């Protein structure tokens, strides 16, 4: 199946649509049955049968089918947030006494959740490369978790090499693919066991929903759906699922536009004297560019720069001087956003991830690149000793 067809048409010609141009939103919290026996049979298979909203719902199910098909996975499970998906997935794979390897920089709250699991006897170790994995692996290691490109620094890992290393040692791999979306990267085809996304970002695309998803083989998704999904209670609402479905319709077109504008802005900053480094895998200057091109079909518009400063105040002043970029967390919508992690990320997490004080994250939206470049140029000229 073609990605554009999956995004726009998969499941949308079925009889229950009754000719509606948009899939209906099933708002009901429960479903009734003709006999007690039918209800009993349905409850045994509640992750696939429509019984109660907490299990699944036709609108949510359609979003899940589309996302699984896009990732080339067997099953997908949508959650009420990205952290709902991450915490349920990690919890489903580890028990007391187990150890998790974390490769590279990952989403800050993911690190916080792994620290939270320590009180239940689950430990973790952060490493920077496969050599570090070799040194840190234990007999109790069960999971290797990573992002590629990585959090904030956008380092690129050879996904097939990572998954091959883990498979040889009997580890499950889970990877956050939010940066690329399934349009630009399909980690399951490179050996990853479970792929996660924050649907709040590019997939939703309009900064109007919070959601998450995990995709992979039925043997891993089904037990998660029957246990952690239902017990943690982070069920996606049908209204948010409808927004996911609408976001998917334009995802291929939007990602192409994000790529174009993001690369134009990154190329400008790559030549600016006030910028030490531009962390964008789409630039030839990025150390992981060749590997990125080998395993990705395109690049999103989220990247970071390192200002020529060690001062939080100067980094904050740069943000304050911007007029078109908005200051805020999250990313992936129409609007361009900017953030300085040193001002918002927990200090211990920032240190663990190796994020410098002068690092600025930019999410290039769908505005004209020339407008964004002018805004950045003026802000850089007026910041302290960066001028």
């Amino acid at each position: 199946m073609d990605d554009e067809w999956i995004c726009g048409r998969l499941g949308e010609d079925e009889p229950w649509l009754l000719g509606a141009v948009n899939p209906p939103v099933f708002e009901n919290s429960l479903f009734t049955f003709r006999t007690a026996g039918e209800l009993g049979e349905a409850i045994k298979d509640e992750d696939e049968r429509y019984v109660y909203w907490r299990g699944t719902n036709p609108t949510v199910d359609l979003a899940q089918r589309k996302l699984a098909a896009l990732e080339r996975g067997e099953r997908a499970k949508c959650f009420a947030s990205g952290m709902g998906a991450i915490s349920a997935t990690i919890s489903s794979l580890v028990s007391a006494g187990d150890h998790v390897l974390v490769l590279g920089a990952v989403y800050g709250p993911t690190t916080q959740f792994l620290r939270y699991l320590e009180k239940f006897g689950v430990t973790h170790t952060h490493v920077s490369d496969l050599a570090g994995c070799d040194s840190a692996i234990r007999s109790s290691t069960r999971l290797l978790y990573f992002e590629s490109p990585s959090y904030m620094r956008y380092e690129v890992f050879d996904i097939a090499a990572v998954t091959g290393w883990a498979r040889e040692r009997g580890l499950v791999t889970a990877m956050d693919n939010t940066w690329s979306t399934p349009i630009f990267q399909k980690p399951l085809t490179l050996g990853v066991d479970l792929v996660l996304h924050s649907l709040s970002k590019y997939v939703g695309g309009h900064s109007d929903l919070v959601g998450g998803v995990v995709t992979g083989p039925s043997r891993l998704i089904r037990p998660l759906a029957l246990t952690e999904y239902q017990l943690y209670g982070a069920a996606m609402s049908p209204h948010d699922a409808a927004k996911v479905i609408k976001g998917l319709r334009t995802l291929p077109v939007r990602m192409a536009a994000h790529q174009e504008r993001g690369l134009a802005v990154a190329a400008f900053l790559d030549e600016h004297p006030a910028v030490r480094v531009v962390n964008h895998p789409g630039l030839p200057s990025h150390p992981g560019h060749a590997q990125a091109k080998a395993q990705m079909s395109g690049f999103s518009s989220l990247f970071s720069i390192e200002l020529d400063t060690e001062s939080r105040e100067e980094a904050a002043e740069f943000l304050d001087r911007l007029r078109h970029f908005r200051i805020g967390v999250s990313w992936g919508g129409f609007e361009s956003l900017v953030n300085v992690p040193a001002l918002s990320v927990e200090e211990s997490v920032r240190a663990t991830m190796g994020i410098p004080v002068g690092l600025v994250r930019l999410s290039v939206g769908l505005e004209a690149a020339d407008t964004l470049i002018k805004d950045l140029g003026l802000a850089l000229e007026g910041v302290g000793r960066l001028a």
Side-chain angles (χ1 to χ4, degrees), residues 37-212:
E38 286 184 1
L39 172 59
E41 288 300 312
I43 287 177
K44 293 177 185 176
D45 197 20
E46 198 172 347
D47 68 317
E48 294 191 48
R49 297 284 299 276
Y50 305 133
V51 178
Y52 186 57
W53 179 340
R54 187 183 66 174
T56 192
N57 164 287
T59 312
V60 177
D61 190 45
L62 178 56
Q64 291 173 165
R65 289 167 56 196
K66 286 176 176 285
L67 289 163
L70 272 179
E71 285 283 10
R72 307 300 189 259
E74 290 179 353
R75 293 277 304 278
K77 200 65 185 172
C78 286
F79 290 76
S81 70
M83 274 311 299
I86 290 168
S87 58
T89 298
I90 294 175
S91 297
S92 75
L93 298 170
V94 297
S95 302
D98 287 346
H99 174 252
V100 179
L101 276 175
V102 183
L103 175 60
V106 299
Y107 182 45
T110 302
T111 296
Q112 291 173 318
F113 179 71
L114 288 166
R115 290 176 179 172
Y116 172 78
L117 287 181
E118 290 175 0
K119 74 176 185 177
F120 300 106
V122 176
T123 58
H124 67 281
T125 304
H126 285 272
V127 296
S128 59
D129 52 28
L130 281 181
C133 288
D134 279 324
S135 301
I137 192 171
R138 307 174 186 175
S139 60
S140 58
T141 306
R142 299 288 177 267
L143 170 66
L144 191 157
Y145 189 98
F146 68 113
E147 301 181 17
S148 183
S150 68
Y151 180 65
M152 294 292 181
R153 301 296 294 271
Y154 308 105
E155 296 170 291
V156 176
F157 293 101
D158 182 336
I159 297 173
V162 170
T163 58
W165 180 93
R167 193 179 307 110
E168 289 175 0
R169 292 157 179 79
L171 307 185
V172 175
T173 50
M175 180 186 142
D176 188 325
N177 193 38
T178 307
W179 191 91
S180 297
T181 82
I183 299 299
F184 287 155
Q185 184 167 254
K186 300 186 189 300
L188 293 178
T189 67
L190 297 170
V192 173
D193 293 306
L194 291 170
V195 175
L196 298 110
H197 288 271
S198 167
L199 300 174
S200 319
K201 312 302 194 284
Y202 289 120
V203 172
H206 297 87
S207 303
D208 61 356
L209 77 96
V210 173

Side-chain angles (χ1 to χ4, degrees), residues 22 54 137 171 182 192 205 207 231 244 277 284 316 324 330 348 359 365 368 384:
N22 291 317
R54 187 183 66 174
I137 192 171
L171 307 185
V192 173
S207 303
L231 294 181
V244 169
V277 179
H324 198 86
S330 198
S348 61
L359 186 139

Side-chain angles (χ1 to χ4, degrees), residues 105 204 298 318:
F318 166 65

